[in-house]
Amino acid sequence: MQIYDIKDPSQIKNLSMKQLDVLAQDIRHFLIQNISKTGGHLSSNLGIVEITIAMHYVFSSPKDKMIFDVGHQSYVHKILTGRSTKFATLRKLNGLSGYQKRSESPHDCWEAGHSSTSLSAALGYAIARDVQHQNYEVIAVIGDGALAGGMSLEALNDIGAQKRKMIIIFNDNAMSISKNRGGVEKRITSIRSSHLYRSMKNDIKVTLPHNKMGDETLKVFSSIRDRIKSGLIDAPLFQEFNLDYLGPVDGHNIPALIKVFEAAKEHDGPIVVHVRTKKGKGYRYAEQDKIGQWHGVSPFNIQTGQPLMKLPINEKTWSNIISDGLIELAKKNKDVVAITPAMAQGSKLLKFAKLFPDRFFDCGIAEEHAITMAGAMSLGGLRPFVSIYSSFLQRAYDQMNHDLGRMDLPVVIGIDRAGLVGDDGETHQGVFDISFLRSIPNLILSQPKDAKEAYDLLYTAFATKHPFCIRYPRGQTAVTDKIDFHLISIGSWERFDIGSDPKAIIISYGPDVDRIIHTIHENNLSMIVVNARFFKPIDQEMCKELFNLDLPIYVYETDVKIGGLSSAVLEYQNEIENHIHILGIDDHYVQHGSIRSLRKKEHIDLESLFREIERYGQD
């Protein structure tokens, strides 16, 4: 069967095992050829080819619900559901998404971009099915890295309690993005296969008569079977959540996968199918990758494995710049430590880990845990730096607010991939962090316009005794050979007067500041450009100066407007001009007390409202 001829997954159900193996080879070749041109998630999709084929052979999409954790490994699913002709548009505007996308196909029943959501979603579908007395299978595919996420463990606990019929395919490739770490990973590696248990279970069901005597005998043998099961597979993690278990099975053996999926389909209640795969299978560079380099790739040369685009000699990625600055600070201060939630490669912290192995902590896919742990480390006398992608920091908002902000702890947060990231779409655009962080008391939020300012902000952050966030975008910028550090006054902005008679004021931040200045010079314009390198606190003195110039002000921001830099400027402008009178809780945490007493203390009681109205009415 030709890949481009597949319009519906039902077409593969009549293929022989040999034909399915050929199809798997063809799909791998197709993926390598296409992703080498478009970029995308390569290793994870190469590793799941046979699993996805077997799933569509045994189950019937879209009636049966197939949920891929994170969704980045759904490329094979897309091919088998008739989307192969669109792969040239992968991750491009109006093209094929790199994740499951409900608007793209009825075969995509769930959307994700972050780890560890599949089990909760699967249980939700199972509940909806049972409450509405419908009949379909629910299958969740989750990798070993995602299984260690707190949300997955919460879902497993509930799934074990509710005992609803669903299938969890545990894709065990011993690696998520970076190498897996932690207690759950160690527990998983203890799981062993039990051929005796599996064959005994099937033989008992087939051979015993379906009468009273047979039922009693089945109970006895089932008890023996469960004891054998417990002893041979070392009471693995899943049994502790009250889940039945099959496996492990070779994740690249289609007949074996079909057999175990069919057995799981007949099972009542939740069951885990443990599948062992090789991430990156079929492409040697991806197979040999131990650090996650081939997890998500840009276009590359298939023969050499080298990226087609290389950075200019005088440029580095923002992640590398921050990492280099952190290393220099760590050399001078033994209390500086680095933390990452499974993004050591993406955040360019591998060099730090090599230089300071005892001061580097990869806590796995657990952003919430990373932030709270960093807070306690700071109370213990260390100076933690936590690197988290903007998109993933959303998951740790509670910890940023409750644990860092409220206790005013000196933790430095590197917000990587801030702003638009492009290809990965809605789930990964880092455009919300300014908005959701600005409301947190005690927190400082900044962004450098260039490498020099990045080093200085990093230095300033470690010299400050408050939670300090430095956001920086995907991409690269020019660097100098020497790294030196200077303190920046907290909340200060930079002003650039271009030309003799400015006609407007542009307030912006990040790399766009220099681009704006360059464009103004290039076109012989006269303007004032402001580098608003702090979003919180803002430079109120400069704002006042700018307002007094009575020039049109343009706030140019590349993140969401609501709650962003423009909101901060408008709030302060209104504070000065007082056109709109605002009563609310100021930028601090509210202590305990009765609601009535707290309203009065914060001047948000009705008496304060009408007193304010009367005061301004008299003016």
Side-chain angles (χ1 to χ4, degrees):
M1 176 173 285
Q2 297 297 312
I3 287 176
Y4 288 122
D5 292 336
I6 300 175
K7 306 301 180 189
D8 187 89
S10 62
Q11 292 176 253
I12 73 168
K13 291 182 180 292
N14 295 322
L15 298 182
S16 67
M17 295 300 109
K18 185 176 180 181
Q19 288 173 316
L20 291 176
D21 283 332
V22 172
L23 178 61
Q25 294 175 27
D26 290 346
I27 287 175
R28 275 201 176 84
H29 178 76
F30 179 88
L31 288 173
I32 294 168
Q33 291 293 326
N34 278 272
I35 296 173
S36 71
K37 298 182 179 71
T38 63
H41 288 94
L42 182 65
S43 289
S44 52
N45 284 287
L46 292 177
I48 204 172
V49 174
E50 288 84 2
I51 293 176
T52 312
I53 289 173
M55 285 169 61
H56 279 290
Y57 187 90
V58 173
F59 304 105
S60 299
S61 179
K63 179 186 176 185
D64 294 333
K65 312 304 178 188
M66 298 182 184
I67 301 169
F68 294 84
D69 202 273
V70 186
H72 65 284
Q73 78 284 46
S74 61
Y75 292 8
V76 185
H77 168 75
K78 290 175 184 275
I79 291 169
L80 296 177
T81 52
R83 287 172 268 179
S84 59
T85 56
K86 299 179 181 177
F87 260 75
T89 70
L90 183 68
R91 307 198 313 158
K92 294 180 180 177
L93 185 63
N94 299 323
L96 207 61
S97 170
Y99 298 83
Q100 282 186 289
K101 188 85 171 170
R102 290 168 59 241
S103 62
E104 195 175 280
S105 170
H107 296 279
D108 292 357
C109 66
W110 180 252
E111 292 181 14
H114 294 177
S115 162
S116 309
T117 69
S118 63
L119 302 186
S120 298
L123 180 58
Y125 261 116
I127 292 170
R129 174 199 62 202
D130 296 346
V131 169
Q132 297 178 78
H133 306 291
Q134 295 177 343
N135 180 29
Y136 56 81
E137 302 293 335
V138 180
I139 310 101
V141 182
I142 185 167
D144 41 7
L147 194 65
M151 190 172 175
S152 291
L153 300 180
E154 292 174 23
L156 284 175
N157 188 55
D158 200 12
I159 290 167
Q162 296 209 33
K163 302 295 287 183
R164 296 183 187 273
K165 180 175 171 56
M166 57 185 287
I167 298 164
I168 299 169
I169 299 175
F170 168 44
N171 179 22
D172 176 7
N173 58 32
M175 187 174 181
S176 54
I177 299 173
S178 299
K179 181 175 173 59
N180 288 327
R181 300 172 188 271
V184 173
E185 167 62 16
K186 290 177 182 176
R187 197 77 178 95
I188 288 167
T189 58
S190 72
I191 296 172
R192 296 292 179 263
S193 177
S194 170
H195 296 292
L196 175 60
Y197 159 71
R198 292 204 307 272
S199 59
M200 185 178 185
K201 177 179 178 180
N202 291 333
D203 290 346
I204 290 172
K205 279 193 171 182
V206 171
T207 57
L208 283 178
H210 297 286
N211 54 33
K212 187 174 181 180
M213 179 182 235
D215 291 341
E216 290 300 318
T217 308
L218 179 60
K219 287 180 183 177
V220 173
F221 275 110
S222 293
S223 176
I224 297 170
R225 177 203 72 199
D226 289 340
R227 286 198 292 274
I228 292 172
K229 175 183 179 183
S230 179
L232 287 177
I233 61 178
D234 301 329
L237 171 71
F238 308 110
Q239 282 184 281
E240 293 165 10
F241 281 103
N242 200 26
L243 303 175
D244 285 324
Y245 168 92
L246 286 174
V249 63
D250 181 357
H252 303 298
N253 184 326
I254 293 178
L257 288 166
I258 289 173
K259 186 176 180 180
V260 77
F261 289 168
E262 286 175 339
K265 188 176 179 179
E266 296 171 6
H267 182 269
D268 292 326
I271 188 166
V272 175
V273 178
H274 181 185
V275 179
R276 282 185 172 159
T277 60
K278 187 174 184 65
K279 195 168 184 179
K281 183 175 175 60
Y283 186 59
R284 67 186 179 95
Y285 295 111
E287 287 183 1
Q288 295 165 3
D289 179 22
K290 301 300 180 188
I291 61 174
Q293 185 177 352
W294 286 89
H295 172 75
V297 297
S298 58
F300 61 94
N301 182 298
I302 296 174
Q303 282 68 42
T304 66
Q306 295 298 309
L308 296 181
M309 296 173 58
K310 292 189 177 181
L311 292 178
I313 296 174
N314 65 333
E315 290 190 359
K316 281 187 178 180
T317 67
W318 284 96
S319 302
N320 266 318
I321 288 165
I322 293 294
S323 178
D324 289 346
L326 184 67
I327 288 169
E328 290 304 309
L329 292 172
K331 288 176 181 177
K332 300 172 184 177
N333 184 347
K334 61 181 176 52
D335 291 331
V336 171
V337 297
I339 302 167
T340 178
M343 297 304 295
Q345 164 66 17
S347 293
K348 305 305 178 189
L349 290 174
L350 292 175
K351 185 178 178 182
F352 185 101
K354 187 176 181 180
L355 290 171
F356 312 105
D358 295 335
R359 293 154 63 184
F360 173 75
F361 305 91
D362 186 340
C363 60
I365 303 175
E367 293 85 3
E368 303 97 320
H369 163 60
I371 295 296
T372 299
M373 180 176 74
M377 289 165 78
S378 74
L379 286 173
L382 297 176
R383 295 306 314 271
F385 173 85
V386 188
S387 177
I388 300 183
Y389 286 14
S390 172
S391 173
F392 303 148
L393 185 62
Q394 296 163 189
R395 312 191 93 177
Y397 173 78
D398 177 59
Q399 290 71 28
M400 291 290 293
N401 184 359
H402 186 269
D403 299 335
L404 295 194
R406 186 181 57 84
M407 290 193 280
D408 198 11
L409 300 182
V411 174
V412 181
I413 311 293
I415 307 176
D416 203 342
R417 299 333 193 247
L420 294 172
V421 298
D423 305 335
D424 285 330
E426 300 101 318
T427 58
H428 280 58
Q429 311 291 11
V431 297
F432 301 104
D433 58 88
I434 298 172
S435 180
F436 70 72
L437 291 174
R438 274 190 60 238
S439 64
I440 299 178
N442 301 322
L443 183 140
I444 298 166
L445 179 59
S446 65
Q447 180 169 346
K449 72 180 181 68
D450 53 30
K452 177 66 176 70
E453 195 163 72
Y455 297 138
D456 291 345
L457 282 172
L458 194 62
Y459 181 67
T460 304
F462 279 101
T464 304
K465 299 299 182 181
H466 302 284
F468 198 118
C469 298
I470 305 171
R471 68 193 307 267
Y472 41 96
R474 183 184 186 184
Q476 65 278 346
T477 191
V479 291
T480 55
D481 293 334
K482 186 182 177 183
I483 298 176
D484 56 357
F485 299 108
H486 298 89
L487 282 174
I488 295 177
S489 178
I490 302 297
S492 65
W493 290 356
E494 259 188 322
R495 173 174 164 176
F496 302 90
D497 289 38
I498 306 168
S500 57
D501 184 22
K503 304 298 183 188
I505 300 166
I506 301 176
I507 302 175
S508 192
Y509 53 88
D512 284 310
V513 171
D514 284 340
R515 296 180 189 129
I516 291 168
I517 292 172
H518 175 77
T519 304
I520 292 172
H521 279 299
E522 201 174 45
N523 291 277
N524 295 316
L525 302 174
S526 290
M527 292 185 182
I528 295 172
V529 178
V530 175
N531 172 24
R533 57 193 172 195
F534 286 95
F535 306 100
K536 184 181 183 184
I538 64 170
D539 192 330
Q540 294 187 353
E541 286 303 312
M542 186 175 291
C543 280
K544 198 180 296 182
E545 291 173 13
L546 297 174
F547 297 154
N548 289 336
L549 294 175
D550 199 26
L551 290 171
I553 296 175
Y554 300 88
V555 180
Y556 179 76
E557 51 190 325
T558 52
D559 299 273
V560 293
K561 291 189 288 186
I562 297 174
L565 175 63
S566 55
S567 292
V569 172
L570 289 168
E571 287 162 14
Y572 182 65
Q573 182 186 35
N574 182 70
E575 193 176 308
I576 293 174
E577 298 183 1
N578 247 1
H579 290 314
I580 299 174
H581 307 287
I582 300 171
L583 281 78
I585 296 171
D586 288 327
D587 186 27
H588 60 244
Y589 288 97
V590 179
Q591 302 301 315
H592 60 274
S594 69
I595 294 176
R596 179 178 176 81
S597 65
L598 292 176
R599 279 178 174 261
K600 189 170 184 177
K601 182 176 182 291
E602 297 294 331
H603 306 293
I604 55 172
D605 56 316
L606 288 181
E607 291 87 345
S608 296
L609 168 63
F610 286 98
R611 191 163 53 245
E612 188 83 352
I613 293 172
E614 184 179 358
R615 182 160 71 92
Y616 281 102
Q618 291 172 352
D619 293 345

